Amino acid sequence: MTTPTPPGPAAASDKIDGAVLKIASVVVLGAIMSILDVTVVSVALPTFMTEFDATYATVAWTMTAYTLALATVIPVTGWAADRFGTKRLYITALVLFVGASVLCSMAWNIESLIGFRVLQGLGGGMLMPLGMTIMTRAAGPHRVGRVMAVLGIPMMLGPIGGPILGGWLIEAVSWHWIFLINVPVGAIALTAAVVLLPKDDPSPSESFDFVGMLLLSPGLALFLFGVSSIPEVGTVASARVLISAGIGLVLVIGFIFHALRKQDHPLIDLHLFKNRNLTIAVVTSTMFVIAFMGAGLLFPSYFLQVRGETTLAAGLLLAPQGIGAMLTMPLAGNFVDKIGPGKIVLAGLSLIAVGMAVFTQVGSDTPYPLLLGSLFVMGLGMGGTMMPIMTAAMQTLTHETVARGSTLMNIVQQVAGSIGTATMSVVLTNQMMDRPLAGPATAAQHSPEIAAQLPPGAMEQGLSQAAEAFGFTFTVALVLLLLTLIPAYFLPRTRPAAPAEGADESAPMMMH
């Protein structure tokens, strides 16, 4: 096993070696496909409306169905990774995801597309938690910050690259290619996974928590279905929202009681919350995702609706955010492993808050250099926020608990993301409804027929009202973001204990 004495291995163990980088390349390919498919479809919704003669509320389910499937399959992933092995399950998830992508490209109506998106989500939902598990086990807890920085690249690029890629493929070829693009990428990822991922060492003796699955997976799906329906029905008081979310919440609460009583292999190990760092990281992550990811979807909407940009241009205007994140993420990964995540996350949140503050004052003619500069500053903050928070949770977990820990963090993020998206959508919708000219003016941006029907001066006034609605919504996001500083203050501010000091923990991680 590993000994602390030889200087060579000790020094090498602190670096990301070639073997870990090869594994990282496989994981990043899978993560890019999974995350891009959440965002790439967002710019295709108007095309789906025309192609399938459907309403916006109906085609929006091509996105919602995918995220619901993600939330449903993630709870099972931790157990399945232990039971069947991460490599085998990762390859299965890739095959399912790519196969479903081909089916999506062949959809003949909106219902079939929504159904195939569910299949795609089942595959995509396993890729991220499995990728985190594989990377953490390969690198060991003392290098989690750096490997999380590598895995964070697709998490940052997805929201920026998705709209750009989707807009370009739709304009240059056809909507079918936003799904078919996964086939060549998936083939490369599949080949790399077979060749490069370490051999499995599954634990066949572990029992499966069927009661937990019957409570949690449908509970999450129903709760998120109810929450996701709020923007469509326009009110929380709708029977569809209350009944679905209510039943889902009851099932989730039932699961919590069940999991706390069950000592041997619950579906999600809630006893992990005894780990102080993980608990603080979960609270911080939840608040951050609700605030920032919810608002993040509004940036392209502002450029499309208020500024009248094309889908491709709107995607390109978000590029400064991705550039900022790419600059700081590798630095943040290095510093997390040296000084702990606490100070880095506080600095990252502060930068995001500064950038978001500019958008709270946004108008219909705010200068682009100011907006793009603010997005760049937010990107700098993003690079020092999301993955360091994940690192705070993951670096204190043992080899046996890392699969369950990554599953837990992914569920929390998925639920928080859905809540954030629904919250910001409802706030924006209500703000637009309170301003009677905002809706017609934004609709007229891409419709000369509607623009011709507006009275003189109505267009300018309506766009100004729409900008005010966006500004108010960004203010709500900023307040939530500032509140996230409270739990972030308690994140660890020291380097994690090195496993080489007599602990044997890194050895099984490296051998797995």
Side-chain angles (χ1 to χ4, degrees):
M1 289 289 183
T2 310
T3 58
T5 45
S13 73
D14 241 15
K15 289 198 218 165
I16 300 297
D17 53 52
V20 176
L21 284 175
K22 285 177 183 175
I23 293 169
S25 66
V26 181
V27 171
V28 166
L29 277 174
I32 283 174
M33 287 196 304
S34 172
I35 294 168
L36 271 182
D37 253 59
V38 177
T39 55
V40 79
V41 173
S42 62
V43 296
L45 298 185
T47 306
F48 293 155
M49 290 170 66
T50 306
E51 188 76 22
F52 298 120
D53 191 24
T55 65
Y56 181 86
T58 303
V59 299
W61 283 102
T62 57
M63 292 182 68
T64 309
Y66 184 85
T67 56
L68 287 178
L70 252 66
T72 305
V73 76
I74 287 172
V76 187
T77 306
W79 167 81
D82 291 339
R83 174 65 179 80
F84 301 108
T86 50
K87 178 174 183 174
R88 224 168 295 169
L89 194 61
Y90 195 81
I91 290 170
T92 303
L94 279 173
V95 170
L96 178 59
F97 183 85
V98 174
S101 297
V102 174
L103 290 173
C104 286
S105 73
M106 299 164 62
W108 55 91
N109 58 26
I110 193 64
E111 290 80 14
S112 63
L113 180 58
I114 292 169
F116 294 144
R117 284 284 283 169
V118 170
L119 280 178
Q120 202 182 27
L122 292 176
M126 290 188 277
L127 290 175
M128 273 306 285
L130 280 172
M132 286 172 59
T133 302
I134 291 166
M135 293 274 283
T136 308
R137 286 178 175 173
H142 55 300
R143 298 186 294 183
V144 165
R146 269 159 285 184
V147 298
M148 283 295 168
V150 173
L151 191 55
I153 293 169
M155 293 188 74
M156 294 295 117
L157 290 181
I160 290 96
I164 296 173
L165 180 64
W168 176 73
L169 287 172
I170 290 167
E171 289 181 19
V173 199
S174 73
W175 67 267
H176 305 83
W177 278 91
I178 64 174
F179 300 112
L180 287 174
I181 194 71
N182 289 325
V183 176
V185 179
I188 295 168
L190 198 57
T191 306
V194 171
V195 175
L196 299 176
L197 289 186
K199 190 181 173 190
D200 281 328
D201 181 22
S203 310
S205 60
E206 187 170 314
S207 59
F208 182 56
D209 181 10
F210 280 105
V211 175
M213 186 195 71
L214 292 173
L215 288 169
L216 185 59
S217 287
L220 282 174
L222 283 167
F223 176 74
L224 294 180
F225 174 80
V227 169
S228 301
S229 299
I230 296 172
E232 186 182 344
V233 298
T235 174
V236 179
S238 160
R240 176 166 145 191
V241 174
L242 290 176
I243 293 171
S244 301
I247 294 173
L249 202 56
V250 168
L251 288 172
V252 170
I253 292 170
F255 169 78
I256 291 171
F257 282 108
H258 163 77
L260 289 174
R261 284 198 312 268
K262 185 175 172 63
Q263 294 298 320
D264 54 327
H265 312 305
L267 188 66
I268 300 296
D269 191 358
L270 298 184
H271 299 99
L272 289 173
F273 281 114
K274 291 177 182 175
N275 180 329
R276 179 181 179 273
N277 288 347
L278 182 134
T279 302
I280 294 170
V282 165
V283 174
T284 308
S285 174
T286 302
M287 293 179 67
F288 173 72
V289 171
I290 289 174
F292 187 76
M293 297 306 173
L297 292 173
L298 301 182
F299 297 131
S301 296
Y302 167 78
F303 289 122
L304 287 165
Q305 295 181 34
V306 180
R307 306 305 286 263
E309 300 290 351
T310 64
T311 52
L312 180 56
L316 288 169
L317 285 165
L318 297 176
Q321 203 173 49
I323 294 167
M326 283 192 289
L327 289 175
T328 53
M329 191 172 290
L331 294 172
N334 262 318
F335 282 118
V336 162
D337 289 334
K338 291 174 182 171
I339 63 172
K343 296 172 187 172
I344 295 164
V345 173
L346 286 173
L349 286 172
S350 301
L351 282 171
I352 295 173
V354 169
M356 188 77 76
V358 172
F359 275 86
T360 64
Q361 306 302 311
V362 80
S364 59
D365 56 357
T366 304
Y368 271 10
L370 177 61
L371 296 179
L372 298 183
S374 301
L375 287 168
F376 178 72
V377 170
M378 274 191 270
L380 293 174
M382 283 166 63
T385 307
M386 195 66 245
M387 297 320 288
I389 293 173
M390 298 288 280
T391 302
M394 301 297 290
Q395 67 188 179
T396 56
L397 297 176
T398 64
H399 173 79
E400 290 76 21
T401 58
V402 70
R404 299 305 175 88
S406 63
T407 300
L408 177 63
M409 289 297 288
N410 274 273
I411 289 174
V412 166
Q413 286 188 12
Q414 195 58 52
V415 173
S418 297
I419 292 172
T421 302
T423 301
M424 298 305 165
S425 297
V426 169
V427 172
L428 179 62
T429 302
N430 288 336
Q431 288 296 311
M432 295 281 274
M433 287 170 64
D434 290 343
R435 295 166 171 82
L437 291 175
T442 53
Q445 285 280 43
H446 300 283
S447 173
E449 295 82 7
I450 297 175
Q453 296 171 12
L454 293 177
M459 185 77 169
E460 293 76 12
Q461 192 180 348
L463 291 177
S464 179
Q465 289 182 0
E468 288 174 11
F470 274 93
F472 181 88
T473 311
F474 286 126
T475 302
V476 173
L478 177 61
V479 170
L480 291 172
L481 202 60
L482 292 173
L483 289 173
T484 309
L485 289 167
I486 299 171
Y489 178 80
F490 295 99
L491 287 170
R493 302 188 191 187
T494 55
R495 177 187 171 127
E501 297 297 327
D504 239 0
E505 198 146 314
S506 67
M509 283 198 175
M510 297 299 287
M511 289 165 58
H512 186 80

